[in-house]
Amino acid sequence: QVQLVESGGGLVQPGGSLRLSCAASGGPGFTFSSYVMAWYRRAPGQAREMVATINAADSVTNYGASVKGRFTISRDNVKNMAFLQMNSLKPEDTAVYYCKAAVAWDEYWGQGAQVTVSS
């Protein structure tokens, strides 16, 4: 199985920035570069929302409309890590952010990292 560990969450003022990290590891045969990586978020009482994805083969990215232009997803296939740089944060960005790794036959989720945007 694949293990994903998120870090970097916290409290930030509106307009501020945070960088989330997702460290991936697995058993024999794990090839991080084969996985689509993604960030999702869930605010209390709200549905899960796709934040950003980054392709496995070509690192093409996709963003949810509410974060496009403010957030950047990236990956390091040598370190087996994915990142979410969050700029110009708004109170409505407050949520638990989850890292996901997916291949055609399986998907894995991290435990989540709390991001709170408040003055």
Side-chain angles (χ1 to χ4, degrees), residues 36-48:
V36 175
M37 299 300 297
W39 291 93
Y40 287 75
R41 68 186 183 186
R42 185 186 293 273
Q46 301 295 315
R48 183 182 64 193

Side-chain angles (χ1 to χ4, degrees), residues 6-7 13-14 28-29 48 50-51 57 59 61 68 70 72-73 84 90-91 97 107-109 119:
E6 295 129 316
S7 61
Q13 291 184 306
R48 183 182 64 193
M50 190 276 290
V51 175
S59 292
T61 58
K68 193 170 186 177
R70 299 187 297 120
T72 303
I73 188 172
L84 184 68
K90 305 173 181 179
Y97 285 71
E107 65 180 38
Y108 305 90
W109 292 85
S119 59

Side-chain angles (χ1 to χ4, degrees), residues 36-105:
V36 175
M37 299 300 297
W39 291 93
Y40 287 75
R41 68 186 183 186
R42 185 186 293 273
Q46 301 295 315
R48 183 182 64 193
E49 177 186 18
M50 190 276 290
V51 175
T53 67
I54 182 165
N55 283 359
D58 57 11
S59 292
V60 170
T61 58
N62 184 50
Y63 296 92
S66 63
V67 308
K68 193 170 186 177
R70 299 187 297 120
F71 291 10
T72 303
I73 188 172
S74 60
R75 66 191 298 158
D76 186 332
N77 289 339
V78 174
K79 297 180 178 179
N80 290 0
M81 296 188 71
F83 307 93
L84 184 68
Q85 178 66 46
M86 303 181 291
N87 298 326
S88 302
L89 283 161
K90 305 173 181 179
E92 49 263 48
D93 295 319
T94 296
V96 178
Y97 285 71
Y98 298 91
C99 178
K100 185 178 88 171
V103 288
W105 59 90

